[in-house]
Amino acid sequence: MSVEFPDLPYAIDALEPHVSAKTLEFHHGKHHKAYVDKLNAAIDGTAYDDQSLEQIILGAHDASDTGVFNNAAQAWNHTFLWHSMSPNGGGEPQGPLAGEIGSAFGDATGFRAEFKNAALGQFGSGWAWLVRTVDGLEIVTTGNADSPLVDGNTPLLTLDVWEHAYYLDYQNRRDAYVDTFLDKLINWKFAAQNLEADRNAA
Ligand code: FE
C-alpha cells in the first residue's frame, strides 16, 4: 500500500488571482508530489507500509525517523492546506465555530490579528495553524514539516508559510499573502467540519 497523492479539490486556476495556477502547478504538482514520492520510496517494504498517513507521522515522530516523518508530515500538511483554501473563501466563521472563535479570540477580527501575527512571526519555513486543544481553540506555528498532530491537537485550518507557497505571486511579501488568505481564501466551512468531527469524536 502506498500513500496517495491527491488531486486538488478545485481546478488549478480556481484560486486566481489570489494564488496563481503557476503557483499551484509547482506547489501541488512538484513540491507536494515530491513529498509523497519520497515518502513512498522510504516506506516501501517497511513496517510503515501498511499504515495510514497519520499513523506513519506519529510512529516516525516517536522513533525519531526524521526522513520518514518530514515527508509524511509534509504530505499530510499539504493535503490539509488545499482544503483550508476555497475559491469562495473569506468571510466569517458560522455556527459553533463562530462561538469557539469568540471564546478564544474575542471575535473574528481578534482571530485575524492573532493568526496574521503568528504567520508573520514564524521565522523561515513552516506553517500557521488554527487548532483545537483540550482548552479550546489556539493558533500555533510549526517549523519546517512539523505537525500539531504530534502534540495531540486537532488541526482545523492551516496556512503554508514556506516561500514556495507564495514567492511566484507575492515575492517576499508574506504579509500580503497572509492578508489575501484571510480575506479571500480561508475556508471556514472546512474548519467547521473539522471542529464538528472533533466534537463528535470526544
Ligand atoms: Fe508547501
Side-chain angles (χ1 to χ4, degrees), residues 13 22 33 43 68 74 76 86 110 121 139 199:
D13 60 356
K22 192 79 176 167
K33 184 171 190 300
I43 66 174
V68 170
Q74 285 293 78
W76 194 97
S86 165
I139 291 164
R199 285 178 153 193

Side-chain angles (χ1 to χ4, degrees), residues 17 40 90 100 104 150-151 170 175 194:
N40 282 326
E100 293 216 16
V150 303
D151 298 317
Y170 297 90
D175 62 332
N194 292 324

Side-chain angles (χ1 to χ4, degrees), residues 24-98:
L24 287 181
E25 281 170 21
F26 279 90
H27 198 186
H28 174 256
K30 305 289 186 193
H31 291 277
H32 187 183
K33 184 171 190 300
Y35 294 125
V36 175
D37 288 348
K38 285 181 191 168
L39 175 63
N40 282 326
I43 66 174
D44 186 34
T46 73
Y48 295 118
D49 214 355
D50 292 331
Q51 297 179 2
S52 70
L53 185 54
E54 289 81 0
Q55 288 173 317
I56 296 170
I57 290 168
L58 296 175
H61 184 260
D62 285 348
S64 299
D65 201 343
T66 308
V68 170
F69 174 81
N70 284 342
N71 286 299
Q74 285 293 78
W76 194 97
N77 292 352
H78 281 89
T79 299
F80 200 76
L81 170 68
W82 309 135
H83 290 276
S84 295
M85 301 187 287
S86 165
N88 306 309
E92 303 224 339
Q94 306 294 325
L97 177 60

Side-chain angles (χ1 to χ4, degrees), residues 107-192:
D107 55 19
T109 305
F111 161 81
R112 193 188 188 292
E114 192 169 325
F115 191 93
K116 182 174 179 180
N117 203 32
L120 296 184
Q122 170 58 36
F123 184 78
S125 296
W127 300 80
W129 305 83
L130 175 64
V131 300
R132 187 169 192 238
T133 76
V134 291
D135 297 323
L137 302 194
E138 288 182 17
I139 291 164
V140 298
T141 58
T142 60
N144 297 317
D146 280 349
S147 163
L149 297 175
V150 303
D151 298 317
N153 295 327
T154 302
L156 303 185
L157 275 175
T158 196
L159 181 64
D160 188 342
V161 295
W162 287 56
E163 278 192 349
H164 70 217
Y166 61 87
Y167 207 84
L168 290 176
D169 296 328
Y170 297 90
Q171 293 76 51
N172 62 323
R173 291 174 293 126
R174 189 189 285 188
D175 62 332
Y177 163 70
V178 174
D179 278 339
T180 301
F181 170 74
L182 290 166
D183 292 339
K184 308 288 188 185
L185 297 173
I186 192 168
N187 187 352
W188 286 119
K189 283 186 184 157
F190 179 61

